[in-house]
């Protein structure tokens, strides 16, 4: 009797791919200062960091002594997932290796724009405190007010035909070409592709006036809407 031998399916495959990683830029070697500022930011926008993979950029303090293991423990205690470091010195990289962290090389930035959102989500009501609306793979249009404590999130752009008092996060999947447009801007937080401003950054803008927020390089910019 003959037996036919078939090709077995491999149990694993190693393929190249790309994923969006948030980058946490560290500008101080003082862990207590880092902890205080991080806690303040997490209190404003925890959804940006908790459970998301982070790369820590140390380029501005590469020549300064830094407790890498202590930094890892500080971030882990706040439910942040640190996968590696970049822009570090040899000494810092050696510490990172002992801490089980990868040394990640910064790649060249791609100037190819991401594909546009494939659809638009429309909400015809006010978004109240405690509510969160997420427009996956699409723009978000809100005909109403986004109240204090409410969150609107979109992978594309966000258009609010009313007052924005809560939090608006556009380009949530990394689309840096997204914008936030609101007919009245008095927001707790605005963000595009991970770059964000808190309310104090918006205080110079007349809250009664409409605004368009966009990303220029790695910084947000705000323009008043024409009357």
């Amino acid at each position: 009797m003959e037996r036919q031998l078939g090709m077995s399916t491999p149990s694993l495959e190693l393929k190249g791919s790309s994923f969006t990683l948030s980058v946490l830029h560290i500008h101080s070697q003082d862990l207590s200062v880092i902890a205080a500022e991080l806690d303040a930011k997490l209190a404003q926008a925890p959804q940006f960091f908790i459970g998301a993979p982070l790369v820590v950029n140390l380029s501005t303090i590469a020549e300064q002594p830094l407790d890498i293991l202590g930094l890892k423990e500080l971030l882990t205690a706040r439910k942040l997932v640190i996968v590696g470091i970049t822009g570090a010195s040899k000494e810092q990289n050696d510490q990172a290796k002992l801490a089980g962290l990868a040394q990640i090389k910064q790649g060249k930035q791609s100037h190819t724009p991401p594909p546009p959102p494939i659809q638009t989500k429309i909400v015809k009501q006010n978004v109240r405190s405690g509510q969160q609306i997420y427009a996956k793979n699409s723009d978000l249009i809100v005909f109403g007010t986004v109240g204090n404590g409410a969150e609107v999130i979109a992978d594309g752009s966000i258009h609010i035909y009313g007052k924005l008092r809560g939090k608006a996060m556009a380009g949530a999947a990394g689309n840096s070409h997204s914008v936030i447009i609101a007919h009245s801007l008095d927001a707790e937080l605005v963000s595009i592709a991970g770059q964000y401003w808190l309310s104090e950054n918006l205080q110079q803008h007349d809250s009664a006036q409409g605004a368009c927020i966009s990303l220029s390089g790695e910084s947000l910019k705000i323009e008043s809407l024409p009357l």
Side-chain angles (χ1 to χ4, degrees), residues 26-34 61 63-67:
I26 301 294
H27 303 300
S28 172
Q29 65 191 96
D30 189 331
L31 296 185
S32 62
V33 171
I34 294 172
I61 57 169
E63 303 305 319
Q64 302 178 31
L66 178 66
D67 181 2

Side-chain angles (χ1 to χ4, degrees), residues 13-153:
E13 293 181 87
L14 183 62
K15 296 183 178 181
S17 184
S18 61
F19 296 91
T20 300
L21 295 174
S22 296
V23 180
L24 182 63
H25 294 262
I26 301 294
H27 303 300
S28 172
Q29 65 191 96
D30 189 331
L31 296 185
S32 62
V33 171
I34 294 172
E37 293 188 8
L38 190 58
D39 287 341
K41 291 184 181 297
L42 286 175
Q44 291 285 342
Q47 66 282 348
F48 275 174
F49 299 106
I50 293 178
L54 288 178
V55 174
V56 176
N57 189 313
L58 302 175
S59 57
T60 60
I61 57 169
E63 303 305 319
Q64 302 178 31
L66 178 66
D67 181 2
I68 299 293
L69 181 58
L71 177 62
K72 178 185 178 183
E73 292 174 347
L74 184 154
L75 297 175
T76 301
R78 287 158 176 79
K79 299 181 181 180
L80 307 181
V81 181
I82 173 173
V83 298
I85 64 171
T86 188
S89 65
K90 182 181 183 304
E91 181 181 351
Q92 290 170 344
N93 280 327
D94 290 341
Q95 288 190 59
K97 184 176 180 180
L98 293 175
L101 300 176
Q103 291 82 56
I104 299 175
K105 294 182 179 180
Q106 299 187 61
K108 295 181 179 180
Q109 292 186 346
S110 173
H111 295 283
T112 302
I118 59 175
Q119 58 186 346
T120 299
K121 182 171 184 176
I122 299 176
V123 175
K124 296 181 179 180
Q125 65 182 48
N126 293 333
V127 185
R128 303 186 184 280
S129 178
Q131 288 184 307
Q132 182 187 85
I133 294 177
Y134 174 38
K136 183 176 177 60
N137 296 326
S138 67
D139 290 336
L140 175 63
I141 296 177
V142 178
F143 290 100
T145 292
V146 178
N148 293 325
E151 297 180 356
V152 287
I153 306 170

Side-chain angles (χ1 to χ4, degrees), residues 41 45 48 156-158 164 166-172 174-181 185 187-205 211-224:
K41 291 184 181 297
F48 275 174
S157 297
I158 297 175
L164 171 56
K167 301 175 182 178
M169 290 153 273
N175 186 348
S176 60
H177 298 272
S178 301
V179 298
I180 298 171
I181 296 176
L185 180 65
E188 298 171 345
L189 176 146
V190 292
S191 168
I192 296 176
Q195 301 293 330
Y196 65 92
W197 276 350
L198 303 178
S199 57
E200 54 264 29
N201 301 109
L202 301 169
Q203 289 178 352
Q204 294 182 351
H205 178 77
C212 175
I213 300 168
S214 58
L215 191 59
S216 178
E218 294 186 355
S219 300
L220 295 180
K221 69 175 182 179
I222 184 169
E223 299 173 284
S224 296

